[in-house]
Amino acid sequence: ILENAYDQTTMIEAIPAEQMIAREKELVKISLDFMPTLMIPDIDVLVVQKIGKDVSGAGFDPNILGRSSARSTFVLKIPKIGRMVLLDVTEESHGNGIGVGLFDVITKNVFEELDLEAMYANAVACKCIDDVKIPLMVDTEDEAIRVAIKTLRNVDKEHLKIVRIKNTLELGSIEVSEALLGCIKENDRLLLEGNR
């Protein structure tokens, strides 16, 4: 069973036992074309609304954001991301905010939701203790973005490339700053929906 970028079944195939390994290798390659991806190559600040165990075992998909304490190579083309901001943890995670440590700035409500015991047990089990370190904390989303921008080096602060996503499972609609509108218009796989 292969899923598409919207987490929906896109292909079902029955494979005879004697062809299982060979066909599985082919299906893995095919599945890469169906995976969601951030189709913006250079992002100054990425704002992620939520991470969670229901999104990915790592809290977010490292193959989309390119941050991981357990791997250095990824199966998808990864954008260059200057700073990452986190705003929340999903309710379904019950406080297990594993992955929080790979962000640069979080809001205080993220910290208040964390079940450190659950996170630490998860981190020890997967040998990824960097994933549970606590990043710089601020009160609000606006403040988090301002801190992320302030700490960037070698970027054009008059034309900041900022992207806001819900999570790494739901990339069908994202928000981008004005500096990225040209990038969106140039990519025939992206559709500009309107201004906010």
Side-chain angles (χ1 to χ4, degrees):
I1 299 175
L2 298 183
E3 293 180 344
N4 64 18
Y6 299 98
D7 206 27
Q8 301 164 334
T9 300
T10 192
M11 184 175 162
I12 299 175
E13 185 172 323
I15 306 167
E18 62 276 1
Q19 297 171 10
M20 179 76 81
I21 293 174
R23 183 59 179 152
E24 182 72 17
K25 289 178 182 177
E26 294 168 354
L27 289 172
V28 167
K29 289 178 184 174
I30 292 168
S31 73
L32 296 179
D33 291 334
F34 295 122
M35 289 183 72
T37 182
L38 281 170
M39 291 180 264
I40 299 169
D42 189 14
I43 300 169
D44 295 324
V45 177
L46 176 68
V47 180
V48 178
Q49 285 180 259
K50 294 185 179 188
I51 61 168
K53 295 295 287 182
D54 54 319
V55 174
S56 171
F60 61 85
D61 189 338
N63 286 304
I64 294 172
L65 302 187
R67 288 203 184 176
S68 172
S69 64
R71 62 171 61 172
S72 57
T73 59
F74 305 95
V75 299
L76 299 173
K77 187 172 182 177
I78 303 297
K80 177 183 163 241
I81 301 172
R83 293 278 184 249
M84 290 193 341
V85 171
L86 176 63
L87 305 178
D88 207 350
V89 177
T90 64
E91 260 185 60
E92 294 81 0
S93 295
H94 303 288
N96 186 344
I98 194 155
V100 71
L102 300 174
F103 283 81
D104 302 296
V105 185
I106 63 172
T107 54
K108 285 184 181 173
N109 73 293
V110 170
F111 181 75
E112 290 164 0
E113 294 174 0
L114 298 178
D115 177 343
L116 297 179
E117 187 176 343
M119 284 172 50
Y120 293 168
N122 194 166
V124 169
C126 69
K127 299 175 180 65
C128 51
I129 61 174
D130 286 344
D131 291 20
V132 295
K133 291 181 178 179
I134 305 300
L136 189 148
M137 276 186 285
V138 296
D139 289 322
T140 67
E141 175 181 354
D142 286 347
E143 190 179 357
I145 294 169
R146 284 196 305 272
V147 167
I149 291 168
K150 177 99 173 142
T151 59
L152 285 169
R153 292 189 172 127
N154 305 315
V155 298
D156 181 355
K157 293 196 178 178
E158 297 298 315
H159 301 94
L160 287 164
K161 296 172 279 195
I162 301 174
V163 175
R164 188 176 202 268
I165 66 172
K166 185 171 183 178
N167 59 56
T168 56
L169 261 185
E170 299 175 78
L171 296 174
S173 181
I174 65 173
E175 295 177 58
V176 301
S177 62
E178 192 173 337
L180 287 167
L181 295 181
C183 177
I184 302 299
K185 291 175 185 173
E186 291 170 7
N187 189 332
D188 60 1
R189 293 177 65 197
L190 298 174
L191 173 68
L192 188 59
E193 291 184 347
N195 296 332
R196 264 186 59 180

